[in-house]
Amino acid sequence: MDLPAPRFTWALPTLCSVCRAWAAERVCDACHERFAAPHVRCVRCALPVPAGVMHCAGCLREPPSLDATIAAVDYRFPWDGVVAAFKFRAGLDLAGALASMVENAVLRASSPLPLPTLLLPVPLSRERLAERGYNQAAVLARHLARRLGITLEQRLLRRLVDTPHQADLPRERRLANLRGAFGVEPRRALHLRGRSVALVDDVMTTGTTLAEAARTLKAAGAAGVQAWVFARTPAPEDR
């Protein structure tokens, strides 16, 4: 009698992307505990705030177009190197570990908003996509959609203009560069109306790009827009 082939449920060990030790995942438990301990963040922009505080001074002074922002870690050592490998060196094997950390941040967030019904990756321009070969935000969003059971729409939000890097520009220039940078695909606009949306990206630096995308989506009928990012650049005084 032929016996059924054995089924193996264990995974091969891999190297932790942070400490390079053998681990079951691309980020080991020790590095999670050492470098990714959760802390209190502003509900609207995800900058660190003191315990018991929901909004930073900047968001109280000038509320952003994003209704909430959730970040897994600060964009500093060692996560800046992990993001660079994921984003620029085809480290697509990191996507699962990064998505798991974002998922954990979403599930423990203090935001009063419910989970969205649509996930949208922040799109790249055609030029940037051709240069890189893949959109790291879309890869991250696919993992999150599967994990959380949320509908993923990869073609609804479009990047119309290939804007320069924003981080080192003054605020007025950033806003001017991004004006009209995004658009909603007309044939898919009906999927957006009245829906709650989360924009997914790897890093939030100044927040200008995500804010412009949120304005575009709300103008097209989205009921609410959150941002889910792996890493959030700290305020200048915290770097």
Side-chain angles (χ1 to χ4, degrees):
M1 181 176 65
D2 293 333
L3 295 176
R7 297 179 62 186
F8 298 101
T9 58
W10 46 267
L12 292 174
T14 185
L15 291 178
C16 172
S17 58
V18 176
C19 68
R20 312 307 294 172
W22 288 107
E25 304 288 345
R26 290 294 274 125
V27 178
C28 71
D29 291 342
C31 287
H32 269 288
E33 293 178 11
R34 182 178 180 186
F35 297 114
H39 49 255
V40 182
R41 296 180 180 275
C42 172
V43 170
R44 297 294 286 270
C45 74
L47 285 176
V49 291
V53 174
M54 289 192 67
H55 300 98
C56 69
C59 289
L60 288 173
R61 196 167 47 244
E62 188 175 350
S65 53
L66 289 162
D67 299 302
T69 300
I70 295 172
V73 297
D74 286 332
Y75 186 63
R76 56 176 51 162
F77 178 85
W79 306 116
D80 51 354
V82 173
V83 168
F86 175 54
K87 189 171 184 175
F88 300 117
R89 298 197 292 275
L92 299 181
D93 58 313
L94 293 165
L98 271 57
S100 175
M101 295 172 71
V102 175
E103 178 190 19
N104 290 338
V106 167
L107 295 178
R108 68 171 178 259
S110 59
S111 169
L113 299 176
L115 285 177
T117 58
L118 280 180
L119 289 189
L120 307 180
V122 173
L124 294 178
S125 66
R126 289 183 180 180
E127 296 84 353
R128 199 69 61 86
L129 184 59
E131 174 188 327
R132 192 170 299 161
Y134 63 97
N135 180 358
Q136 75 283 349
V139 175
L140 195 59
R142 282 197 293 272
H143 281 264
L144 283 166
R146 284 197 298 268
R147 286 172 172 273
L148 293 166
I150 300 174
T151 301
L152 174 66
E153 276 281 0
Q154 297 190 69
R155 293 177 292 168
L156 193 153
L157 184 66
R158 310 301 294 267
R159 188 77 172 240
L160 306 178
V161 180
D162 185 22
T163 54
H165 292 292
Q166 299 284 99
D168 298 325
L169 299 176
R171 184 174 184 274
E172 294 74 16
R173 282 283 306 282
R174 295 197 302 267
L175 294 173
N177 281 345
L178 284 162
R179 202 162 293 125
F182 297 100
V184 171
E185 171 60 53
R187 291 169 296 183
R188 308 187 74 80
L190 284 174
H191 293 263
L192 180 64
R193 291 175 189 167
R195 305 285 291 274
S196 174
V197 175
L199 287 161
V200 178
D201 210 354
D202 57 332
V203 178
M204 180 178 182
T205 306
T206 64
T208 313
T209 298
L210 285 159
E212 180 63 25
R215 278 191 288 271
T216 300
L217 293 168
K218 287 183 174 180
V225 183
Q226 307 175 38
W228 294 358
V229 300
F230 172 69
R232 175 62 159 110
T233 300
E237 63 269 19
D238 293 333
R239 294 183 194 174

